Amino acid sequence: MTLRSHPGAIYHLDTAQLTAPAGGASGADALEAACAHAAGLGFDAICLSTPLPAAAATASRHGLALLLDADMDAPGPADPAAPPDPRLRGDHATARNPQAWLDRWQNRLARAAADGAAGFRCILPAWADAALLRQLTQSVRAAAPGLLLIACPRNPAQPVEGFDLVAPLLPWRDALATIRPAAPLLAYAEIPGGPRLASRWNDRRLAERAARQSLQLAALSGHAWLMPAGFEHGALHRDALGQGPWQRARYDLTAAVKQANAARASLPAMAQGTPRLLSAPHAPLALLWQGDADEAKGRALVLANPSMLRPARLSAGQVLGLLPEPGALPPGVFDAGGRLTLAPAEVLMLPVHDAVPVRLPLPQGTEAAELATEAPRIAIEAIAPAVDGGRFPVKRSVGQVVTVTADVFADGHAKIAVSLLWRPADESEWREVPMLPTGNDVWEASFVPERIGRHVYTVESWVDQYAAFQDEITKKHKAGVDVTLERQEGAALVEAAITRLGAEGAPLAAALRRMEGASHEQAVALFNAPETRALMERADPRPHRLRQEPLLPLDIERRAAGFSSWYEVFPRSQSGDAHRHGTFGDVIDTLPRVRDMGFDVLYFPPIHPIGQKNRKGRNNTLTPEPGDVGSPYAIGAAEGGHDALHPELGTLDDFRKLVAAAKDHGLELALDFAIQCSPDHPWLKEHPDWFDWRPDGTIRYAENPPKKYEDIVNVDFYTEGAKPALWLALRDVVLFWVKEGVNLFRVDNPHTKPLPFWEWMIGEVRARAPEVVFLSEAFTRPKVMYRLAKVGYSQSYTYFTWRNTRWEMTQYMQELNEAPVSDFFRPHFFVNTPDINPEFLHHSGRPGHLIRAALAATLSGLWGIYNGFELCEATPVKPGKEEYLDSEKYQIRAWDYDRPGNITAEITRLNHIRRENPALQTHLGFTALASGHENVMLYLKATPEGDNAILVAVSMDPYQAPEMHIELPQYQLGLPPGAALIAENLMDGGEERWDGSHRYLRLDPYNRPFAIWRVRAADKA
């Protein structure tokens, strides 16, 4: 193995550093020490700037090859006879004389080779062309075939054919880009004779980091690499080695040098392989070494972070995705997120192992081929709507159009027909709607379910042979092609249809008879006649028919599932006296007030017996006073549990009277279903195995660490005793209240209960009573909230309460309006709850309450308020806390519903507007418009047909009066820019004609911080 075939690592020494000072070591001793030092660092060769006596023998004693610098770029005078100029280096008599230059360097290199030099670092003159350099290398090779010739061109584009290595005098990254198969790269840690790298940095830590990166890059990125003496110790100058520069080290990189040389030695591909730069400019470096020869098989990846200060994070795709052939890195290289982090200036070399392709077992015989011949020719893809590929049902309200699209196509030029099939789940007969193409292989059809409950739908397609025939004969006839044969083919199709239709095929038989003797034009017309096409469709055998499975589920719910206005009260506070517990009879007395405000749902927190043990006092204190009523969420006492009524509210007969009275007032009752128990709940004695008991025998109370709610305990759904007894008992609680006329249930904290339970329980209830609607009170993470909707909840509380800026609310509405969320999730915009006194309302007074009411009432088909909101009640128990002072959760309160500053009239008007405008009866159909002010939200709500369009402007600032020019919605209404609109003011009454694209608007929070218009084109007025 010669130095030329494996050039390896080179230690460069400027012979000026070997000058012996007075009293110092001799130059020979200094060279001896330098060679020993280079060998100890793992170098293969030492390169001297000028020849020295016996240098080859000295290097050889330390196992090193000797290389010499050959500065072939020495300038000279134009007149060869002129005396030497002491200002110029070298033999300038030969400068720019190609033949003289060639003769001189042939002789000089031959003499040096004879003296033991194993190679030369040739600094080339820029004027030397390819032919001249080829002559030089050929003549040197003839005299000494084993010499290593290194080309050092100042111009990277200069030809270097015949040289073993090329070492352009460029930064290493630029040099990498010049790699050529004919001249592999010699990488410099630092350019010999150039400025010291260490001198660029005042900060010694950064200087060391840069030097470490430079030597590692040079060692791992070139076929060979070269390091000038002193670099490993941060030398700032080219000191004489006799003065011991290693004893005055600025830093010590000798261990890093040894490690780099050892890494090179461990990878034969670095000597015989081909490097390939994989990374893009300015990105972290990725360089692949690929060994081709048998003795140099293998691959290695060099990664480097060019930044001195910042770490670089690379994804697995950035690393493995760059490999030209699949490969695997050692385990543990990537973190759990599939990323690799390089520290500032870090250089890393990783072995790349071959990744064996996955090869599947092949079936024997012809069975697979036979099955393939029976496989569908038609593809049905991307059916929409579909929730998680049909795992969960799509939600729609009764009477709402269900529009289905699908990508359907076949191979070749086959004509296909596509149908939408749908049916109620309790029927077996499919209802079929032809789907029409809308372009790009997308087909569409719609249907309108009339029953509430579970439905299913799917898409079916088949090859339409008669449509293909019609297309062919029509095109050929129009082009003047004789269609005699085509007429015969068409007649055969019609005759087959007549056979399948029987007596119903008589019109087709008559058409065939008329075709006899008819002209081609008449026959084509008969084949294309609508009545012919209709009968052929009825007789179609539907070859290659494909029906997409599994079937897609669809839940059709009653109108109240998507449109209703809720009002929440504590029945015990309806007596009008804070010292007297309210009754169901008192609630009946309040029904007209709720009805007159325009609400259609009256919702109660739990109305069951309340436990005595650990009862909470006023304002959630742990030390109740005598007579404190406790929290209604501590369900269960001696009087009963979830299927019992609080005795002070009344009897079951009293409740039935309330249900009937509410119905007479156009109101529906909604109950709270809270799966939690007080320590006095009968279930603790009757079914102790439904609960979680601690090792000391005490019950585990409800907790939200570090908070503990000792008036409440939770059931455990997965104890052996609870499966399935508890599940059945909870289902039966709901069915009990359904039997008593309750079909609306607000469920407390469903996200803390098992998702499989909800999917099963809601399915069980709605199978028996499809009119039941469940509202999820789950203020939790979005995906959990959405999953609850998927498993059966018709409505959900939302993040509306905390969306207080124009941008936040706009983004949230756009999310709710986009599929797939819009296909299963209905947002219920409650402006407040007994648990949530929004901080936005604490100090914003009447304007703040009007803002939130206008947003909730116009953005969603479902909205609600908790009693007191209309009175602008918002005093917190403590500053910044979302809990009401003197909360009704812990005490009875009496309300003055006529107190000054209330917004009852505005709420009443909002509910009236909602009832008469279908666009406001859903959260869908939302389009954000440019308001011209960062604190004003402007949006259009429109029905799909565009026949009802509501424009709403709401100031999100309860303190300032914004002024702006709002964008008008001509484009959204399908009108030309600036087209005249008729705007009907729905709050104040009256109509205006609006011209142009914008209109001035001022919203005064102390008058009304919102405006609502019904808009239409002026020419439709």
Side-chain angles (χ1 to χ4, degrees):
M1 185 180 295
T2 65
L3 181 65
R4 182 184 175 195
S5 61
H6 293 83
I10 303 169
Y11 190 73
H12 187 275
L13 186 62
D14 190 335
T15 53
Q17 295 177 274
L18 299 178
T19 303
S26 67
D29 292 340
L31 177 60
E32 193 80 38
C35 288
H37 177 69
L41 294 178
F43 285 97
D44 304 308
I46 189 165
C47 181
L48 302 181
S49 60
T50 58
L52 289 177
T58 303
S60 179
R61 284 196 295 274
H62 296 281
L64 302 175
L66 175 66
L67 303 180
L68 295 176
D69 281 354
D71 187 356
M72 302 178 178
D73 193 24
D79 183 5
D85 187 336
R87 296 172 298 176
L88 302 176
R89 296 183 299 117
D91 186 1
H92 44 278
T94 61
R96 301 253 178 194
N97 185 333
Q99 189 58 49
W101 179 90
L102 181 62
D103 293 341
R104 176 179 183 272
W105 283 107
Q106 285 175 341
N107 294 331
R108 186 167 179 176
L109 298 184
R111 288 197 305 271
D115 291 338
F120 301 93
R121 192 175 72 95
C122 304
I123 302 171
L124 302 178
W127 53 265
D129 59 18
L132 182 64
L133 295 178
R134 191 181 306 111
Q135 283 184 277
L136 174 67
T137 56
Q138 288 176 351
S139 62
V140 171
R141 293 267 186 254
L147 281 182
L148 174 68
L149 298 180
I150 304 170
C152 299
R154 297 192 183 277
N155 177 7
Q158 186 172 8
V160 291
E161 184 181 344
F163 288 88
D164 300 300
L165 296 173
V166 59
L169 303 177
L170 294 171
W172 66 268
R173 185 181 287 273
D174 294 337
L176 284 176
T178 68
I179 295 175
R180 284 166 282 181
L185 179 72
L186 169 68
Y188 290 139
E190 180 182 85
I191 297 176
R196 284 292 196 182
L197 181 64
S199 65
R200 300 182 190 177
W201 307 89
N202 293 325
D203 186 317
R204 182 171 297 189
R205 291 179 299 111
L206 289 180
E208 180 179 356
R209 186 179 295 171
R212 187 182 301 274
Q213 181 193 59
S214 183
L215 80 87
Q216 290 175 329
L217 280 174
L220 300 179
S221 63
H223 286 79
W225 79 292
L226 182 147
M227 185 185 80
F231 178 88
E232 66 272 34
H233 298 294
L236 297 175
H237 308 287
R238 304 197 184 278
D239 296 332
L241 296 180
Q243 297 178 351
W246 303 306
Q247 281 70 45
R248 301 193 308 277
R250 197 168 180 226
Y251 44 73
D252 185 2
L253 297 180
T254 54
V257 175
K258 292 178 182 178
Q259 185 179 14
N261 281 329
R264 289 183 56 84
S266 69
L267 187 69
M270 297 193 71
Q272 294 294 316
T274 302
R276 180 172 178 177
L277 186 64
L278 304 179
S279 51
H282 312 298
L285 172 78
L287 180 76
L288 177 67
W289 281 98
Q290 176 85 45
D292 300 322
D294 291 339
E295 68 275 12
K297 284 290 186 183
R299 291 183 290 171
L301 191 64
V302 177
L303 303 173
N305 178 7
S307 174
M308 295 291 107
L309 302 174
R310 295 182 302 276
R313 293 177 176 84
L314 291 80
S315 68
Q318 286 176 279
V319 180
L320 297 177
L322 295 174
L323 297 177
E325 297 178 3
L329 297 181
V333 168
F334 299 106
D335 61 20
R339 302 185 73 86
L340 180 154
T341 300
L342 295 175
E346 182 180 3
V347 180
L348 192 63
M349 186 175 75
L350 300 168
V352 180
H353 306 294
D354 290 340
V356 179
V358 177
R359 290 184 170 84
L360 299 177
L362 292 175
Q364 300 297 316
T366 63
E367 182 180 357
E370 292 169 0
L371 290 174
T373 64
E374 301 299 324
R377 292 181 58 191
I378 297 172
I380 301 176
E381 301 175 346
I383 300 179
V387 179
D388 291 357
R391 167 64 178 86
F392 300 104
V394 171
K395 288 185 173 64
R396 293 290 188 271
S397 297
V398 67
Q400 185 178 0
V401 174
V402 181
T403 298
V404 178
T405 63
D407 297 347
V408 189
F409 51 91
D411 54 81
H413 299 289
K415 296 291 182 180
I416 60 173
V418 186
S419 283
L420 169 64
L421 305 178
W422 70 278
R423 59 179 171 82
D426 61 355
E427 296 181 11
S428 58
E429 194 72 23
W430 286 104
R431 307 178 191 188
E432 184 171 356
V433 182
M435 300 187 78
L436 301 177
T438 63
N440 197 26
D441 292 322
V442 178
W443 297 71
E444 180 179 283
S446 300
F447 66 99
V448 181
E450 300 169 345
R451 301 170 60 193
I452 62 172
R454 178 62 58 87
H455 291 62
V456 291
Y457 63 97
T458 190
V459 172
E460 182 175 280
S461 180
W462 60 94
V463 173
D464 191 337
Q465 294 178 331
Y466 191 73
F469 160 74
Q470 286 179 302
D471 181 66
E472 179 184 2
I473 195 171
T474 302
K475 288 180 178 178
K476 287 185 176 180
H477 177 64
K478 183 179 293 186
V481 177
D482 179 51
V483 293
T484 301
L485 188 58
E486 283 72 17
R487 288 177 62 175
Q488 296 175 16
E489 292 171 342
L493 291 173
V494 174
E495 288 171 354
I498 293 170
T499 301
R500 289 190 292 271
L501 289 171
E504 295 181 10
L508 288 179
L512 277 183
R513 289 193 295 272
R514 289 198 301 273
M515 289 183 195
E516 295 176 2
S519 66
H520 287 334
E521 185 169 349
Q522 292 171 329
V524 170
L526 286 170
F527 280 125
N528 288 328
E531 56 272 19
T532 304
R533 173 66 192 173
L535 287 169
M536 292 300 293
E537 286 179 356
R538 291 180 58 187
D540 194 341
R542 300 190 173 186
H544 299 283
R545 176 165 55 181
L546 174 66
R547 180 177 296 177
Q548 187 67 12
E549 292 185 348
L551 305 180
L552 298 174
L554 170 70
D555 269 350
I556 302 299
E557 300 185 84
R558 61 191 177 105
R559 189 164 182 257
F563 173 60
S564 55
S565 303
W566 289 42
Y567 185 77
E568 179 179 5
V569 298
F570 281 77
R572 68 188 183 188
S573 289
Q574 299 308 302
S575 68
D577 182 352
H579 303 289
R580 181 174 74 82
H581 198 289
T583 66
F584 290 135
D586 295 322
V587 177
I588 291 175
D589 292 339
T590 202
L591 293 178
R593 181 180 66 84
V594 178
R595 175 203 62 201
D596 291 346
M597 281 193 290
F599 291 100
D600 44 38
V601 174
L602 182 61
Y603 155 53
F604 302 150
I607 54 176
H608 313 296
I610 299 173
Q612 291 288 340
K613 186 175 182 180
N614 301 329
R615 176 174 284 194
K616 294 287 185 70
R618 295 179 177 229
N619 289 312
N620 201 23
T621 64
L622 300 179
T623 54
E625 298 292 331
D628 280 350
V629 292
S631 168
Y633 288 92
I635 298 171
E639 298 84 358
H642 285 75
D643 55 358
L645 292 168
H646 194 291
E648 293 189 71
L649 288 175
T651 65
L652 193 56
D653 282 339
D654 295 328
F655 179 78
R656 290 167 180 159
K657 292 176 183 177
L658 172 59
V659 173
K663 185 176 182 181
D664 290 342
H665 285 82
L667 293 168
E668 184 174 359
L669 296 186
L671 293 187
D672 204 313
F673 182 46
I675 304 180
Q676 55 211 29
C677 304
S678 81
D680 298 327
H681 197 292
W683 282 352
L684 271 81
K685 291 183 179 179
E686 297 170 2
H687 305 285
D689 52 352
W690 291 1
F691 298 88
D692 188 4
W693 300 88
R694 302 178 69 87
D696 62 357
T698 59
I699 191 75
R700 183 182 295 277
Y701 292 101
E703 294 183 6
N704 184 14
K707 297 179 181 179
K708 182 181 292 185
Y709 307 96
E710 295 192 352
D711 62 333
I712 293 173
V713 297
N714 287 324
V715 295
D716 187 336
F717 284 80
Y718 289 103
T719 65
E720 288 304 315
K723 299 184 298 184
L726 171 64
W727 298 45
L728 294 169
L730 291 170
R731 178 203 64 185
D732 292 344
V733 165
V734 175
L735 291 174
F736 172 84
W737 292 109
V738 171
K739 183 180 178 182
E740 295 300 331
V742 178
N743 291 314
L744 293 175
F745 293 90
R746 178 266 196 191
V747 180
D748 191 64
N749 290 322
H751 58 290
T752 62
K753 316 302 185 292
L755 291 167
F757 166 75
W758 292 124
E759 187 170 9
W760 168 81
M761 193 275 285
I762 294 174
E764 286 272 315
V765 171
R766 296 199 71 239
R768 295 168 171 81
E771 64 276 9
V772 173
V773 172
F774 290 92
L775 165 61
S776 164
E777 187 254 359
F779 297 108
T780 182
R781 303 182 305 281
K783 288 182 173 56
V784 179
M785 186 182 292
Y786 289 157
R787 183 74 175 198
L788 286 165
K790 292 175 183 179
V791 300
Y793 278 92
S794 305
Q795 310 168 358
S796 178
Y797 282 49
T798 68
Y799 303 117
F800 167 83
T801 316
W802 298 278
R803 298 294 189 264
N804 296 322
T805 68
R806 176 187 61 82
W807 184 88
E808 290 174 334
M809 191 66 76
T810 300
Q811 293 296 309
Y812 191 46
M813 284 303 300
Q814 289 172 341
E815 176 184 336
L816 297 177
N817 271 257
E818 294 175 356
V821 176
S822 60
D823 289 326
F824 63 82
F825 187 82
R826 296 192 189 100
H828 201 312
F829 285 178
F830 255 90
V831 291
N832 68 330
T833 75
D835 298 303
I836 301 173
N837 174 16
E839 191 170 357
F840 179 85
L841 300 177
H842 290 179
H843 305 291
S844 58
R846 193 173 189 274
H849 286 73
L850 286 172
I851 288 170
R852 301 306 293 179
L855 289 170
T858 59
L859 285 173
S860 177
L862 300 163
W863 87 297
I865 71 172
Y866 156 54
N867 172 87
F869 178 88
E870 71 272 34
L871 306 178
C872 303
E873 176 79 15
T875 306
V877 65
K878 292 180 181 178
K881 295 291 185 181
E882 290 189 335
E883 182 83 21
Y884 284 98
L885 180 66
D886 300 329
S887 170
E888 284 188 280
K889 289 192 298 181
Y890 310 106
Q891 66 187 76
I892 296 172
R893 292 193 61 178
W895 298 93
D896 177 7
Y897 292 107
D898 296 316
R899 77 187 190 191
N902 70 74
I903 60 171
T904 301
E906 287 82 357
I907 289 176
T908 303
R909 182 61 186 162
L910 285 170
N911 277 329
H912 175 77
I913 293 171
R914 283 165 52 83
R915 286 181 181 275
E916 66 177 15
N917 289 283
L920 299 181
Q921 296 170 11
T922 173
H923 66 288
L924 303 175
F926 168 87
T927 303
L929 301 173
S931 68
H933 197 287
E934 63 179 356
N935 289 328
V936 174
M937 187 171 177
L938 180 70
Y939 49 94
L940 184 73
K941 293 290 292 297
T943 56
E945 301 79 12
D947 57 342
N948 183 237
I950 306 298
L951 182 65
V952 184
V954 183
S955 172
M956 313 297 278
D957 185 346
Y959 307 107
Q960 306 297 324
E963 299 182 54
M964 73 229 82
H965 285 82
I966 61 171
E967 176 190 6
L968 300 185
Q970 287 95 340
Y971 175 79
Q972 289 75 18
L973 297 175
L975 302 174
L981 298 175
I982 298 298
E984 181 182 353
N985 191 319
L986 298 183
M987 291 299 295
D988 298 323
E991 288 186 350
E992 294 180 301
R993 178 186 172 96
W994 289 354
D995 293 291
S997 61
H998 290 75
R999 186 167 183 82
Y1000 171 79
L1001 178 65
R1002 183 179 189 271
L1003 296 173
D1004 185 350
Y1006 299 101
N1007 178 20
R1008 189 187 302 122
F1010 66 90
I1012 306 174
W1013 302 272
R1014 184 163 47 224
V1015 293
R1016 64 186 188 275
D1019 60 3
K1020 295 181 181 180

